[in-house]
């Protein structure tokens, strides 16, 4: 069942849901972005999208004119925002140099940057830049590829808090003012992921997690991606 049909079948008010959609790489550029959004609106049977994101920047490995491509794509995003078809515009997987290049021509900087963040991949420099530009950080894969859940530092802190390793990873990101979107189809894990607001990590615990070396993640470099 499509999202539009599911919403209609349940009789859910549009005001009670928050829809995020993304522009795929085959729709880069001013006109293509606007056309992609209109198609999404038609499929979703809605007048607006709450958050619309550019899924990936043009990869430097494959596009010598990556700056121009990203700038032209972003102009399309700005137009959609100005026209009221989307309530918020943002990007995914944009590294520091992508955002700095975008800033040269953007009238509106992204409201959000959705990137891979988890213990072992703190992305500190990028986070600092985004905060300085009021760009909200949203972490996908906040548990990496799962290997971080066996990390000695994480397990030690989890034991002292009487919580799971996953809860420690999520709490670490939340205390950095990062939005987390862990993925699970398990109802018990879903409840566990939500239950991370009844404890706090100390400064020393946060710093210990910050120092964890890379130990596994999705591992796709936006500059090297084959799309």
């Amino acid at each position: 069942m499509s999202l539009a049909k599911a919403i209609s079948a349940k009789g859910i008010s549009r005001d009670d849901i928050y829809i995020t959609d993304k522009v795929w790489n085959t729709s880069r550029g001013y006109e293509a972005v606007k056309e992609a959004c209109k198609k999404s609106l038609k499929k979703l049977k809605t007048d607006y999208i709450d958050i619309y994101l550019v899924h990936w920047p043009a990869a430097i490995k494959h596009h010598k004119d990556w700056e121009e491509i990203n700038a032209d794509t972003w102009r399309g995003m700005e137009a959609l925002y100005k026209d009221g078809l989307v309530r918020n515009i943002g990007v995914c997987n944009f590294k520091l140099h992508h955002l700095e290049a975008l800033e040269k021509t953007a009238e509106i900087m992204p409201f959000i940057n959705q990137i891979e963040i988890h213990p072992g991949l703190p992305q500190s420099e990028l986070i600092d830049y985004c905060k300085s530009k009021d760009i909200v950080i949203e972490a996908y894969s906040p548990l990496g590829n799962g290997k971080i859940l066996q990390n000695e530092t994480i397990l030690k802190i989890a034991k002292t808090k009487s919580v799971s390793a996953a809860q420690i990873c999520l709490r670490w990101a939340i205390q950095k003012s990062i939005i987390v979107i862990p993925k699970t189809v398990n109802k018990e894990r879903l409840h566990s992921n939500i239950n991370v607001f009844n404890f706090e990590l100390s400064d020393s615990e946060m710093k210990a997690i910050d120092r964890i070396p890379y130990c596994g993640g999705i591992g796709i470099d936006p500059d090297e991606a084959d799309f």
Side-chain angles (χ1 to χ4, degrees):
M1 181 182 289
S2 69
L3 178 59
K5 288 183 179 179
I7 293 171
S8 177
K10 292 295 184 180
I12 301 172
S13 169
R14 178 65 180 88
D15 294 335
D16 293 333
I17 58 175
Y18 203 83
I19 297 176
T20 298
D21 197 10
K22 297 181 179 181
V23 181
W24 187 239
N25 309 314
T26 52
S27 296
R28 291 190 177 113
Y30 181 79
E31 293 296 343
V33 163
K34 293 200 295 181
E35 185 62 28
C37 182
K38 290 175 183 178
K39 288 181 180 179
S40 288
L41 290 169
K42 186 176 181 179
K43 288 181 180 179
L44 292 166
K45 296 182 179 180
T46 183
D47 296 328
Y48 66 93
I49 294 171
D50 295 284
I51 299 180
Y52 203 46
L53 305 171
V54 178
H55 203 158
W56 290 90
I60 294 173
K61 177 181 178 181
H62 301 290
H63 303 280
K64 291 182 180 180
D65 57 344
W66 62 272
E67 286 192 47
E68 290 80 5
I69 293 173
N70 289 339
D72 194 42
T73 299
W74 190 249
R75 282 198 312 114
M77 297 290 283
E78 290 175 329
L80 291 169
Y81 174 72
K82 291 174 183 177
D83 290 342
L85 297 178
V86 297
R87 298 284 177 87
N88 299 278
I89 51 175
V91 295
C92 306
N93 302 297
F94 270 51
K95 298 169 75 171
L96 180 58
H97 54 266
H98 295 128
L99 292 171
E100 289 177 332
L102 198 65
E103 190 176 5
K104 297 175 185 176
T105 58
E107 292 182 35
I108 307 166
M109 284 297 281
F111 300 162
I112 188 169
N113 188 14
Q114 186 185 103
I115 53 178
E116 181 182 355
I117 298 177
H118 47 77
L121 187 64
Q123 304 256 42
S124 300
E125 186 179 8
L126 178 54
I127 288 175
D128 288 343
Y129 172 87
C130 287
K131 287 183 177 180
S132 74
K133 304 297 178 181
D134 293 323
I135 300 172
V136 174
I137 294 291
E138 186 173 59
Y140 70 79
S141 299
L143 307 180
N145 61 8
K147 291 182 180 179
I148 191 67
L149 302 182
Q150 302 302 318
N151 179 268
E152 184 177 339
T153 298
I154 296 291
L155 290 173
K156 182 178 179 180
I157 297 173
K159 186 176 181 179
T160 64
K161 304 290 184 184
S162 298
V163 297
S164 70
Q167 287 173 308
I168 293 297
C169 293
L170 297 175
R171 183 67 203 183
W172 169 81
I174 288 168
Q175 285 187 213
K176 288 177 175 288
S177 299
I178 296 169
I179 298 170
V180 291
I181 44 173
K183 180 182 178 181
T184 181
V185 296
N186 183 289
K187 188 177 293 187
E188 290 182 2
R189 289 199 192 105
L190 179 62
H191 285 297
S192 177
N193 290 342
I194 295 171
N195 191 27
V196 292
F197 298 99
N198 57 354
F199 70 94
E200 289 187 5
L201 299 174
S202 67
D203 288 343
S204 61
E205 289 168 336
M206 289 289 289
K207 290 176 181 177
I209 297 172
D210 286 342
R211 292 192 294 268
I212 294 175
Y214 185 76
C215 59
I218 303 304
I220 300 176
D221 185 340
D223 286 329
E224 299 288 328
D226 291 324
F227 37 68

